[in-house]
Amino acid sequence: MALLELCRISHHFSGVRALGGVDLAIEPGSVHGLIGPNGAGKTTIFNVITGIVRADAGEVLFKGRPVGGLSSVARARLGIQRLFQTTQLFATLTVDQHFQLVGGHDRGWSQRLELNPWLGLRPPELSFGIARQVELALVLSRPCDLLLLDEPAAGLTGEERQRMASLLRTVRDSGTTIILVEHDLDWTLKLVDRMTVLDRGRVIADGRPLAVAGDPAVRAAYLGEEPDGLKGLREESR
Ligand SMILES: Nc1ncnc2c1ncn2[C@@H]1O[C@H](COP(=O)(O)OP(=O)(O)OP(=O)(O)O)[C@@H](O)[C@H]1O
Ligand SMILES: [Mg+2]
């Protein structure tokens, strides 16, 4: 059974269609990429899944149970967590105080990510890469079966991106399913197990990353160019 299912989800903002009947199934234990041009509806889907936006039509099922009527807080308690695109840390709290005041009970990830040297520092004293890891460890300190990530690699250096990719594989292998919105196709293609492409509020392709990236409709949505990441993967698989 899929961990999360969206069935015929539609949503309009002031009469303008953001989502037009989206079906999406997320397999447990996968990293699922959600990609598409600007305005395709990716963030709106995250908002529908977390309950920030109530869809006009359609159903959201989590672990087989409809959650469309639940608040964001209730959905988080069921294990749906999210990392926002911009940092949500408090400038006046140390890293340790974050874990004490806003974190959950499980500090295992803060140890695994070797965050001890930073515990006494405040967010303005951290590099962006470390701040991102602190946020990830905080999210994972709460019950987290499904993690939604909005561009987790944006703004990171090359080395930090590598570390983030291997970190997300470790998170997946520990039992947390991930949906990843990302603009860097190269990075995404190497990381995800499945991929869905949205364009103007509709799903235009869905499946294994290599097949999806080679799909003519996907290439057309990306201005007819073969994504760089696809070329790289082809060369590696030779
Ligand atoms: N709060 C809102 N009010 C009005 N229109 C909105 C609102 N949020 C999103 N939209 C519109 O809905 C459509 C989908 O937007 P969304 O933010 O989901 O796209 P996206 O795929 O996340 O794009 P990006 O890659 O630029 O972040 C766009 O046309 C956008 O302008
Ligand atoms: Mg967005």
Side-chain angles (χ1 to χ4, degrees):
M1 185 180 69
L3 178 67
L4 177 84
E5 256 182 285
L6 303 192
C7 309
R8 313 298 306 155
I9 291 286
S10 290
H11 194 67
H12 295 76
F13 291 105
S14 318
V16 177
R17 187 185 78 193
L19 299 174
V22 170
D23 289 321
L24 183 66
I26 307 294
E27 295 304 316
S30 61
V31 179
H32 194 118
L34 186 59
I35 67 164
N38 292 116
K42 306 179 294 292
T43 299
T44 305
I45 286 188
F46 273 12
N47 288 338
V48 167
I49 295 171
T50 52
I52 291 172
V53 162
R54 301 266 156 152
D56 298 340
E59 204 161 20
V60 181
L61 300 173
F62 184 59
K63 299 177 184 171
R65 174 183 159 188
V67 294
L70 299 182
S71 68
S72 297
V73 173
R75 294 185 205 198
R77 279 203 204 104
L78 290 179
I80 302 178
Q81 306 288 348
R82 175 179 196 173
L83 196 67
F84 285 88
Q85 194 172 348
T86 52
T87 177
Q88 306 282 305
L89 297 175
F90 298 95
T92 54
L93 296 183
T94 64
V95 171
D96 196 43
Q97 286 167 333
H98 276 88
F99 283 106
Q100 288 171 24
L101 299 172
V102 294
H105 296 297
D106 181 2
R107 292 189 68 163
W109 282 99
S110 113
Q111 277 144 29
R112 262 194 247 187
L113 295 177
E114 296 168 356
L115 296 175
N116 273 357
W118 319 104
L119 288 178
L121 300 185
R122 293 179 173 78
E125 299 164 307
L126 303 174
S127 70
F128 186 63
I130 295 293
R132 259 344 217 173
Q133 290 180 43
V134 168
E135 286 190 295
L136 201 55
L138 271 174
V139 161
L140 292 169
S141 70
R142 304 176 200 121
C144 182
D145 295 319
L146 177 65
L147 176 59
L148 310 182
L149 300 173
D150 210 342
E151 299 198 40
L156 299 183
T157 65
E159 204 175 308
E160 288 169 341
R161 300 168 84 75
Q162 299 283 334
R163 183 168 159 80
M164 181 60 79
S166 85
L167 180 56
L168 296 183
R169 287 190 192 98
T170 310
V171 171
R172 173 198 62 194
D173 294 343
S174 77
T176 295
T177 302
I178 295 174
I179 311 180
L180 179 72
V181 164
E182 185 55 57
H183 276 288
D184 183 342
L185 210 50
D186 218 346
W187 188 81
T188 307
L189 281 168
K190 287 179 184 153
L191 176 60
V192 300
D193 303 300
R194 311 280 299 180
M195 190 152 91
T196 300
V197 186
L198 278 183
D199 189 22
R200 285 168 285 177
R202 290 185 187 275
V203 173
I204 59 166
D206 180 78
R208 302 245 165 243
L210 258 182
V212 167
D215 188 303
V218 175
R219 291 197 206 180
Y222 280 91
L223 302 171
E225 287 177 26
E226 182 171 48
D228 283 346
L230 181 61
K231 279 182 229 157
L233 279 180
R234 283 228 184 91
E235 275 149 26
E236 273 167 31
S237 63
R238 265 189 205 132

